[in-house]
Coordinates of all heavy atoms in Angstrom, one line a residue:
S207 N -37.8 -67.8 104.5 CA -36.7 -68.6 104.9 C -35.5 -68.3 104.0 O -35.7 -67.7 102.9 CB -37.1 -70.1 104.8 OG -37.4 -70.4 103.5
T208 N -34.3 -68.7 104.3 CA -33.1 -68.4 103.6 C -32.3 -69.6 103.3 O -31.1 -69.7 103.7 CB -32.3 -67.3 104.4 OG1 -32.0 -67.9 105.7 CG2 -33.1 -66.0 104.6
P209 N -32.8 -70.6 102.5 CA -32.1 -71.8 102.2 C -30.9 -71.5 101.3 O -30.9 -70.5 100.5 CB -33.1 -72.7 101.6 CG -34.1 -71.7 100.9 CD -34.2 -70.6 101.9
D210 N -29.9 -72.3 101.4 CA -28.7 -72.1 100.5 C -29.1 -72.5 99.1 O -28.6 -71.9 98.2 CB -27.6 -73.0 101.0 CG -26.3 -72.8 100.2 OD1 -25.8 -71.7 100.2 OD2 -25.8 -73.8 99.6
R211 N -30.0 -73.5 98.9 CA -30.4 -73.9 97.6 C -31.9 -73.9 97.6 O -32.6 -74.3 98.6 CB -29.9 -75.3 97.3 CG -28.4 -75.4 97.0 CD -28.0 -76.8 96.4 NE -28.4 -77.8 97.4 CZ -28.8 -79.0 97.0 NH1 -28.8 -79.4 95.7 NH2 -29.1 -79.9 97.9
S212 N -32.5 -73.5 96.5 CA -34.0 -73.5 96.3 C -34.4 -75.0 96.1 O -33.7 -75.9 95.7 CB -34.3 -72.6 95.1 OG -33.8 -73.2 93.9
R213 N -35.7 -75.1 96.2 CA -36.3 -76.5 95.9 C -36.1 -76.8 94.4 O -35.9 -78.0 94.1 CB -37.8 -76.5 96.3 CG -38.0 -76.3 97.8 CD -39.5 -76.6 98.2 NE -40.4 -75.6 97.6 CZ -40.7 -74.5 98.1 NH1 -40.2 -74.1 99.3 NH2 -41.6 -73.7 97.6
A214 N -36.2 -75.8 93.6 CA -36.1 -76.0 92.1 C -34.6 -76.6 91.8 O -34.5 -77.5 91.0 CB -36.3 -74.8 91.4
E215 N -33.6 -76.0 92.5 CA -32.3 -76.5 92.3 C -32.1 -77.9 92.8 O -31.4 -78.7 92.2 CB -31.3 -75.5 93.0 CG -31.2 -74.2 92.4 CD -30.4 -73.2 93.3 OE1 -29.2 -73.3 93.3 OE2 -31.0 -72.5 94.1
R216 N -32.7 -78.2 94.0 CA -32.5 -79.5 94.5 C -33.2 -80.6 93.6 O -32.7 -81.7 93.6 CB -33.2 -79.6 95.9 CG -32.4 -78.7 97.0 CD -33.2 -78.5 98.2 NE -33.5 -79.7 98.9 CZ -34.4 -79.8 99.9 NH1 -35.1 -78.7 100.3 NH2 -34.7 -81.0 100.5
L217 N -34.2 -80.2 92.9 CA -34.8 -81.1 92.0 C -34.1 -81.2 90.6 O -34.0 -82.3 90.1 CB -36.3 -80.7 91.8 CG -37.2 -81.7 91.0 CD1 -37.3 -83.1 91.7 CD2 -38.6 -81.1 90.9
W218 N -33.7 -80.1 90.1 CA -33.3 -80.0 88.7 C -31.8 -79.8 88.4 O -31.3 -80.1 87.4 CB -34.1 -78.9 88.0 CG -35.5 -79.2 87.7 CD1 -36.6 -78.9 88.4 CD2 -36.0 -80.0 86.6 NE1 -37.7 -79.4 87.8 CE2 -37.4 -80.0 86.7 CE3 -35.4 -80.6 85.5 CZ2 -38.2 -80.7 85.8 CZ3 -36.2 -81.3 84.6 CH2 -37.6 -81.3 84.7
A219 N -31.1 -79.1 89.4 CA -29.7 -78.7 89.1 C -28.7 -79.7 89.4 O -27.7 -79.4 90.2 CB -29.5 -77.3 89.8
H220 N -28.7 -80.8 88.8 CA -27.7 -81.9 88.9 C -27.2 -82.2 87.5 O -28.0 -82.6 86.7 CB -28.3 -83.1 89.6 CG -28.8 -82.9 91.0 ND1 -28.0 -82.7 92.1 CD2 -30.1 -82.7 91.4 CE1 -28.8 -82.5 93.2 NE2 -30.0 -82.5 92.8
P221 N -25.9 -82.1 87.3 CA -25.4 -82.2 85.9 C -25.8 -83.4 85.2 O -25.5 -84.5 85.6 CB -23.9 -82.1 86.1 CG -23.7 -81.4 87.4 CD -24.9 -81.8 88.3
G222 N -26.5 -83.2 84.1 CA -26.8 -84.4 83.2 C -27.9 -85.3 83.7 O -28.2 -86.3 83.1
L223 N -28.6 -84.9 84.8 CA -29.6 -85.7 85.4 C -30.9 -85.0 85.5 O -31.0 -83.8 85.8 CB -29.2 -86.1 86.9 CG -27.8 -86.8 87.0 CD1 -27.5 -87.0 88.5 CD2 -27.9 -88.2 86.3
R224 N -32.0 -85.8 85.1 CA -33.3 -85.2 85.1 C -34.2 -86.1 86.0 O -34.2 -87.3 85.9 CB -33.9 -85.2 83.7 CG -35.3 -84.8 83.6 CD -35.8 -84.7 82.2 NE -37.2 -84.3 82.1 CZ -37.8 -83.8 81.1 NH1 -37.1 -83.6 80.0 NH2 -39.1 -83.5 81.1
P225 N -35.1 -85.5 86.8 CA -36.0 -86.3 87.7 C -37.0 -87.0 86.8 O -37.7 -86.4 86.0 CB -36.6 -85.2 88.6 CG -36.5 -83.9 87.8 CD -35.2 -84.0 87.1
V226 N -37.1 -88.3 86.9 CA -38.0 -89.1 86.1 C -39.5 -88.7 86.4 O -40.3 -88.9 85.5 CB -37.8 -90.6 86.4 CG1 -38.7 -91.5 85.6 CG2 -36.3 -91.0 86.0
S227 N -39.7 -88.1 87.6 CA -41.1 -87.8 87.9 C -41.6 -86.6 87.1 O -42.8 -86.3 87.1 CB -41.2 -87.4 89.4 OG -40.3 -86.3 89.7
Q228 N -40.7 -85.8 86.4 CA -41.0 -84.6 85.7 C -41.0 -84.9 84.2 O -39.9 -84.8 83.6 CB -40.1 -83.5 86.1 CG -40.0 -83.2 87.6 CD -41.4 -82.8 88.2 OE1 -42.0 -81.9 87.8 NE2 -41.8 -83.5 89.3
N229 N -42.1 -85.2 83.6 CA -42.1 -85.6 82.2 C -42.4 -84.4 81.3 O -43.0 -83.4 81.7 CB -43.1 -86.6 81.9 CG -42.8 -88.0 82.6 OD1 -41.6 -88.4 82.7 ND2 -43.8 -88.6 83.2

Side-chain angles (χ1 to χ4, degrees):
S207 62
T208 57
D210 186 59
R211 290 187 304 149
S212 63
R213 296 191 295 275
E215 291 169 82
R216 292 165 63 191
L217 187 61
W218 285 99
H220 300 283
L223 301 174
R224 174 176 178 159
V226 177
S227 62
Q228 307 297 308
N229 294 321

